[in-house]
Amino acid sequence: MPTELSAVQITTSSGNRLATAVGNGVGAPEPMSPLAIRVHGEYMEMPGLRLTVRQAARLFGMAPDAADAVLHELRRASLLACSSMVPLH
């Protein structure tokens, strides 16, 4: 599925593990980027928010490739999930 057709939605929240949410495969968490922490905070303030990568880039004021990288970081940390777009009828 092309990235621009994907939407991301908050699935879990854990304030205690936010700053070190991404695992490195060895069991120890890796620190999250300040940008990822900011974007996660925006999702926490707007429960149920679903955005394409392009929409996220506009909302968060960043380039689409940067938005894609941040959203990927949050997905790897199990803080966001990708879901298919539901067609409007």
Side-chain angles (χ1 to χ4, degrees):
M1 176 183 309
T3 303
E4 54 272 350
L5 296 179
S6 303
V8 290
Q9 173 181 337
I10 193 76
T11 56
T12 62
S13 63
S14 177
N16 293 339
R17 59 178 261 226
L18 177 59
T20 57
V22 180
N24 64 9
V26 182
E30 295 177 5
M32 288 182 61
S33 70
L35 190 52
I37 293 170
R38 181 185 136 229
V39 169
H40 180 263
E42 295 290 335
Y43 270 94
M44 294 301 294
E45 289 181 15
M46 296 178 269
L49 180 64
R50 296 167 63 108
L51 300 170
T52 65
V53 172
R54 286 185 193 154
Q55 290 169 332
R58 278 194 306 266
L59 179 65
F60 304 129
M62 62 182 79
D65 59 335
D68 187 54
V70 168
L71 296 175
H72 178 73
E73 180 179 354
L74 292 171
R75 286 190 304 266
R76 272 187 317 163
S78 299
L79 296 172
L80 294 183
C82 231
S83 61
S84 299
M85 296 290 289
V86 177
L88 298 175
H89 297 280

